[in-house]
Each structure stands twice: as C-alpha cells, then as structure tokens.
Amino acid sequence: MKLSRPVSWFLLAFGVWSWIIWITFVKNLIKDSSGLAFEDGDPTAYFWVHLLLAVVSFVLGTAVGVIGLRSVRALRRRS
C-alpha cells in the first residue's frame, strides 16, 4: 500500500503529537492534587481508568506515527 506524502506526514505528526499530549497528561495525572486521582495517597478508580486511557492512546499513537515514519522514509527513497 502506498500512502501519499501529505498523509504520511500527517500520520508522523499525529504520532509526535500523541507522545507530547499523553506524556504530559500522565505527568499531570500523577501530580493531581484535586483528590480525584489519589485519596489518602492511594490511586483511585479515576486514576486507573485515565492511566489506561493514556497508555492505550499512547500505544495507538505510536503505531500510527511509526506507519507515518516508514512511509515518509519510503517516499524519500523513491525520490
């Protein structure tokens, strides 16, 4: 399957975006002082659900970014 140059760059940018957003989200989740993520120092269900959401989104974003990176490299080799 061949991807166009704009689609390849979009996928790569999405992967980078995913790394930035979800790592920042997890850092903020860990630092949460509102009482939602931690109760008496113990993680709450809110914490675990949001951590799972972040991990799954991070993994999927990484996979999409890798597809974009491989496509960009393939397009550069053909040019």
Side-chain angles (χ1 to χ4, degrees):
M1 174 187 218
K2 293 180 183 178
L3 298 174
S4 68
R5 189 173 308 276
V7 170
S8 301
W9 280 105
F10 174 78
L11 294 176
L12 180 58
F14 184 86
V16 170
W17 172 261
S18 180
W19 275 66
I20 293 167
I21 291 302
W22 292 110
I23 288 176
T24 303
F25 180 83
V26 170
K27 285 181 183 178
N28 291 336
L29 183 64
I30 291 170
K31 291 180 193 175
D32 180 58
S33 61
S34 69
L36 287 173
F38 296 98
E39 188 174 309
D40 298 326
D42 295 326
T44 62
Y46 175 91
F47 174 83
W48 292 115
V49 168
H50 284 82
L51 182 62
L52 179 64
L53 170 70
V55 169
V56 169
S57 297
F58 181 73
V59 169
L60 292 175
T62 300
V64 168
V66 167
I67 292 168
L69 178 62
R70 292 177 79 181
S71 181
V72 166
R73 285 182 177 173
L75 289 168
R76 285 189 175 178
R77 275 182 267 157
R78 281 187 231 142
S79 313

